[in-house]
Amino acid sequence: FFIMRHPATSQNDYVRNFKMKKAAKLILEGNLSIAEISDQTGFGTQSHFSTAFKKYFGVSPKDYKEKWKAEQQQKNRTK
């Protein structure tokens, strides 16, 4: 299959970005465990996934979800 990517982005960077964005979306949907998300995004182990996620987003998958929930609660309070 063919994937369109920005010419200045390496193939590895493109794949990593795609996987991380998909993982973030799955985390926020809340239907899957971190182990299931790790598997669905093609990481060999949950540990490898968590390390890569933290390197990419600056927070662990768990903290990412908690931070998002807190931001949503804050938005709901200010409406």
Side-chain angles (χ1 to χ4, degrees), residues 16-26 56-57 64:
R16 180 178 45 251
N17 292 342
F18 182 83
K19 285 180 169 186
M20 288 295 127
K21 288 176 184 177
K22 179 177 180 180
K25 180 179 181 281
L26 292 171
Y56 188 84
F57 286 104
Y64 182 86

Side-chain angles (χ1 to χ4, degrees), residues 8-73:
T9 304
S10 75
Q11 186 174 4
N12 288 340
D13 287 343
Y14 180 83
V15 170
R16 180 178 45 251
N17 292 342
F18 182 83
K19 285 180 169 186
M20 288 295 127
K21 288 176 184 177
K22 179 177 180 180
K25 180 179 181 281
L26 292 171
I27 287 169
L28 297 181
E29 287 175 356
N31 300 323
L32 301 172
S33 69
I34 298 301
E36 290 170 318
I37 293 168
S38 170
D39 187 51
Q40 285 198 12
T41 53
F43 286 88
T45 64
Q46 183 177 339
S47 174
H48 181 231
F49 167 70
S50 294
T51 300
F53 191 94
K54 186 170 185 173
K55 184 176 180 181
Y56 188 84
F57 286 104
V59 293
S60 70
K62 180 182 175 186
D63 290 344
Y64 182 86
K65 185 172 188 172
E66 289 174 2
K67 182 179 176 184
W68 182 82
K69 280 183 178 180
E71 288 173 359
Q72 293 305 305
Q73 289 175 347

